[in-house]
Amino acid sequence: MRSSIGLGFGCGMGAGGSWTPKRLGSSLALWLRADKGVSLNGSSVTAWADLSGNGRDFSQGTASKQPTINATGLGGRPAVVFDGVNDIVSAAGLSALTTSADTFIVMQLANDPPTQGFGACWQIASTNNNEDYVPFHIGRTVYCGIFSTARKTVSPIGSAGYFASPRIFAVYSRAADWRLSTDGVERFATATNTVRSAGTITLGSDPEIAYPFHGRGAEVIIASPSLSDAQR
């Protein structure tokens, strides 16, 4: 998967490149990018529009929980900055994505290992907390179960400091196939998987603020049905 804002990971196009996620057609379920569709109150982010055309817009009406924008915050490009305390934006509308889905997040942690919060960049609300997207946790272990009924435990990725640089974090979820990669390198795979989704999605933390994200996000893409290997 290319990062359409072109952060130079070797899998992205430059900012002037012609490729965008819109070329995924009906498979494009969600697309956020920090240089478009962001509504501000000063530097605070009140809303983050879904550019896919599906209307899965994110928002935060409580001023104390609003992330901020940094015009050059990630790879010299705009980024939405989460404070590691209680910044969070949420949206609804992914309950229909139950057959397969690929998720891509261009993100960077403020510190690796973290000195604030645990680094829960993504959460899909569920009753048993399985469907969380946690790129970082105690001991640098990755706990992740996005679009799955079971959370996976992945050994620490890279050495300390790895996630303090911009990364493309990706999860692929299909029946009997769940994979996690960073910057196009597969880090974990299992043939044991049941796909599941839920209605409410949040960026910055889970709804209970148990695992706040301390870092920056520049782009989020969800494709459903899951993409072919060639499309990725």
Side-chain angles (χ1 to χ4, degrees):
M1 168 60 67
R2 304 170 174 92
S3 167
S4 64
I5 61 174
L7 291 175
F9 293 131
C11 57
M13 297 182 68
S18 60
W19 190 91
T20 80
K22 284 285 191 179
R23 296 178 69 175
L24 297 177
S26 60
S27 292
L28 182 60
L30 174 72
W31 179 24
L32 307 174
R33 53 186 287 179
D35 59 346
K36 292 184 178 181
V38 177
S39 298
L40 299 173
N41 180 10
S43 62
S44 297
V45 176
T46 60
W48 199 355
D50 175 15
L51 303 178
S52 74
N54 293 307
R56 297 178 172 118
D57 301 331
F58 286 73
S59 63
Q60 176 55 260
T62 303
S64 62
K65 296 182 179 181
Q66 291 169 350
T68 57
I69 194 74
N70 185 318
T72 57
L74 203 153
R77 305 283 293 177
V80 175
V81 181
F82 297 85
D83 65 2
V85 179
N86 64 353
D87 287 355
I88 182 173
V89 292
S90 60
L94 288 183
S95 58
L97 309 185
T98 57
T99 57
S100 63
D102 294 345
T103 302
F104 306 87
I105 297 182
V106 181
M107 51 77 70
Q108 176 180 346
L109 291 177
N111 300 286
D112 178 4
T115 58
Q116 184 174 333
F118 289 110
C121 184
W122 176 272
Q123 178 87 16
I124 299 179
S126 61
T127 57
N128 61 2
N129 204 39
N130 275 333
E131 294 178 87
D132 57 349
Y133 193 98
V134 185
F136 219 31
H137 207 274
I138 297 170
R140 305 192 73 255
T141 298
V142 174
Y143 297 111
C144 185
I146 191 169
F147 289 116
S148 179
T149 57
R151 191 173 69 180
K152 283 68 174 170
T153 301
V154 184
S155 299
I157 296 173
S159 58
Y162 176 81
F163 281 110
S165 296
R167 302 293 175 189
I168 298 178
F169 205 95
V171 170
Y172 318 124
S173 182
R174 311 179 195 179
D177 183 12
W178 192 96
R179 288 176 273 169
L180 180 151
S181 71
T182 59
D183 296 353
V185 178
E186 187 172 285
R187 308 292 184 173
F188 180 89
T190 178
T192 303
N193 186 54
T194 300
V195 179
R196 182 182 62 183
S197 184
T200 302
I201 48 178
T202 68
L203 286 171
S205 179
D206 61 88
E208 291 77 32
I209 318 296
Y211 301 107
F213 175 55
H214 191 204
R216 304 171 179 191
E219 188 163 20
V220 179
I221 299 169
I222 295 180
S224 182
S226 184
L227 305 175
S228 68
D229 289 339
Q231 286 175 305
R232 292 179 189 141

